Amino acid sequence: MSTTFTSALADRLSGKNKNKGERRKLSYPVVLLGIAGALILLSALRVITGADDLTSSGQFSGALGAAVPIGLAGLGGLWAERAGVVNIGLEGMMMLGTFSAGWIGWQHGPWAAALAGVVGGAIGGLIHAVATVTFNVDHIISGVAINILSLGVTQYLAKLWFGAEGSAAQQAGGNDKQSPVMENMGHFSIPGLSDWLNSIEKHHWFLVSDVAGILDGLVSDVSWLTIVAALLFVGTFYVLWRSAFGLRLRSCGESPVAAESLGVNVYKYKYWAVVVSGALAGLGGAFLAIGTHMYSDGQTGGRGYIGLATMIFGNWRPGGVAMGAGLFGFMDSLQLRSGGPTVHALLLLVAVLLVGLALWRLKAGRKKPAIISGVVAVALIAWYVLTKTVPLEFVDATPYVATLLVLSLSAQRLRMPKADGKPYRKGQGK
């Protein structure tokens, strides 16, 4: 397709965005200042509360592992919705990925398991594409159906293949609820750097030890599949925002009629997007199976839905999805480490942030939201002062509480693709 065509398509789409008064993008200095401010807040919170695990290497190592499957699911949702197809079937596609990885992994190893997870999720994405793009089924109904069918199919096949009496899988340790154990995926650490950072972390110096602990968690015992996931985020940005293919795909989510008028095969790009969406979610499911060395029933634990929330929180951008996945991975890591005292310390941090939000809203003349934020902040401060920890049940629920809190606070700045979820038929603009 010619450069003239690409320029015309970009002008058509960017013109629509400018008319809507799209917000300015955050510059890199602002982002770096935000990160620095967050590090100072965490360090101060650790010193004040004594919750040393807040910035420990173990906490952030666990957060990284928990963030990868959530981030891959969110990235999958981004691909589909940028092409105009809502994909709430991410949870089901992750299930297909975990099962496929468990089925292949115990026989052929973890890398084959990862590839099988991609294929399993892509099959789920293809089914969703056929239903929504070809047959124009409502996107929500199709996604819910995929989630339900995936649960039933994986449970049935697990009984058939892993738990069958006298089968090779059963003899290798499989049963109705799980696959046989697969080999471990390789990990790596940067020689020398990890030990040096760990020694600095143990001094508990303000900010310096906190940064060292965070970095140590991100460079020690990192799975090779985590590196693949990071490259997929970078690759997604360059493919969707720096290539003609990405421009055409995004045009299908912004204005498919305009894209069709300029020669874009909208159906083809929607198919590509949804299949890639399923493949990424399937890889996220495979990551879970590889991390525990087996497939097990209920392994996804709602991470597909949290991935969908990270996509919305991230404003349908790869960087935003990565940040959201990191946040939810951090909260998920807390429950794995029995983080009652750490979650208790975070109550004080959330209260301080809500006070700042209340003052900002009051300055903007929005009195009612300011009062609500202030009341919630006072309640959290009272909770922190009157208790020494939080119940384990609340710790288990923190990833989901964080999901609701973040989405409620960020809802006003979000901008979804204009044609996301809307039905499209070829030639409808004529």
Side-chain angles (χ1 to χ4, degrees):
M1 199 170 289
S2 66
T3 304
T4 303
F5 164 82
T6 303
S7 300
L9 180 56
D11 291 342
R12 180 79 67 90
L13 296 174
S14 62
K16 291 175 72 65
N17 289 339
K18 289 176 182 177
N19 291 336
K20 292 294 184 180
E22 197 174 74
R23 298 187 180 210
R24 291 181 179 180
K25 297 179 181 178
L26 292 176
S27 63
Y28 286 110
V30 172
V31 172
L32 292 175
L33 284 173
I35 294 173
L39 288 174
I40 292 173
L41 277 176
L42 284 176
S43 184
L45 186 67
R46 177 187 63 80
V47 172
I48 293 170
T49 63
D52 291 335
D53 202 37
L54 191 63
T55 57
S56 70
S57 55
Q59 169 64 27
F60 276 84
S61 178
L64 181 62
V68 171
I70 295 173
L72 287 172
L75 197 64
L78 183 149
W79 270 83
E81 299 209 10
R82 277 294 177 178
V85 179
V86 174
N87 188 4
I88 66 167
L90 293 168
E91 178 75 6
M93 296 169 195
M94 287 189 78
M95 292 179 193
L96 294 174
T98 58
F99 177 83
S100 300
W103 175 39
I104 296 297
W106 76 273
Q107 302 175 77
H108 304 288
W111 285 109
L115 181 59
V118 170
V119 173
I123 291 173
L126 179 61
I127 295 172
H128 188 49
V130 170
T132 57
V133 179
T134 300
F135 293 104
N136 211 23
V137 174
D138 182 90
H139 299 187
I140 305 299
I141 293 174
S142 175
V144 171
I146 286 174
N147 290 337
I148 296 172
L149 288 173
S150 297
L151 177 61
V153 166
T154 53
Q155 289 180 339
Y156 171 74
L157 292 179
K159 292 179 180 179
L160 188 66
W161 292 348
F162 300 148
E165 192 68 31
S167 65
Q170 188 191 53
Q171 293 174 7
N175 57 50
D176 292 352
K177 299 294 183 180
Q178 66 183 44
S179 68
V181 175
M182 73 176 78
E183 296 176 5
N184 187 34
M185 170 74 77
H187 293 73
F188 78 95
S189 301
I190 300 178
L193 181 59
S194 179
D195 294 336
W196 178 64
L197 291 172
N198 187 256
S199 65
I200 295 176
E201 179 190 357
K202 291 178 180 178
H203 286 90
H204 300 298
W205 295 326
F206 177 77
L207 189 60
V208 176
S209 292
D210 299 289
V211 173
I214 294 170
L215 292 177
D216 188 24
L218 300 181
V219 300
S220 301
D221 296 326
V222 179
S223 168
W224 288 107
L225 206 54
T226 300
I227 304 301
V228 172
L231 293 175
L232 287 171
F233 271 87
V234 176
T236 291
F237 172 76
Y238 278 98
V239 170
L240 294 186
W241 274 269
R242 293 292 185 270
S243 72
F245 172 86
L247 176 62
R248 296 168 203 150
L249 187 146
R250 288 186 293 117
S251 72
C252 298
E254 296 291 342
S255 179
V257 173
E260 182 188 346
S261 69
L262 293 171
V264 175
N265 187 334
V266 176
Y267 285 174
K268 182 181 76 172
Y269 282 93
K270 284 180 178 287
Y271 260 90
W272 270 112
V274 181
V275 171
V276 171
S277 173
L280 290 169
L283 181 60
F287 185 91
L288 292 171
I290 293 169
T292 58
H293 307 126
M294 67 179 71
Y295 155 82
S296 59
D297 188 28
Q299 196 165 33
T300 56
R303 288 176 177 83
Y305 299 113
I306 298 180
L308 193 65
T310 66
M311 177 202 67
I312 298 171
F313 162 74
N315 209 11
W316 291 266
R317 303 279 298 192
V321 173
M323 291 176 60
L327 172 63
F328 299 126
F330 179 85
M331 304 306 293
D332 200 18
S333 180
L334 289 178
Q335 62 173 326
L336 298 176
R337 297 174 60 85
S338 300
T342 307
V343 175
H344 184 254
L346 287 174
L347 295 176
L348 186 59
L349 175 62
V350 174
V352 171
L353 293 176
L354 285 175
V355 169
L357 180 63
L359 293 175
W360 178 71
R361 285 176 168 173
L362 192 61
K363 183 179 179 181
R366 302 169 60 193
K367 294 183 179 180
K368 186 175 179 180
I371 293 173
I372 294 174
S373 299
V375 170
V376 175
V378 171
L380 289 176
I381 292 173
W383 187 1
Y384 175 79
V385 171
L386 297 175
T387 60
K388 293 184 177 180
T389 187
V390 296
L392 183 60
E393 292 78 9
F394 183 79
V395 175
D396 293 338
T398 49
Y400 310 101
V401 174
T403 302
L404 295 174
L405 182 62
V406 168
L407 288 179
S408 64
L409 293 176
S410 63
Q412 295 183 356
R413 69 170 183 83
L414 301 177
R415 180 200 171 277
M416 66 188 295
K418 293 183 180 65
D420 192 16
K422 296 181 180 179
Y424 164 78
R425 294 287 88 187
K426 186 175 182 180
Q428 70 181 31
K430 297 179 179 179

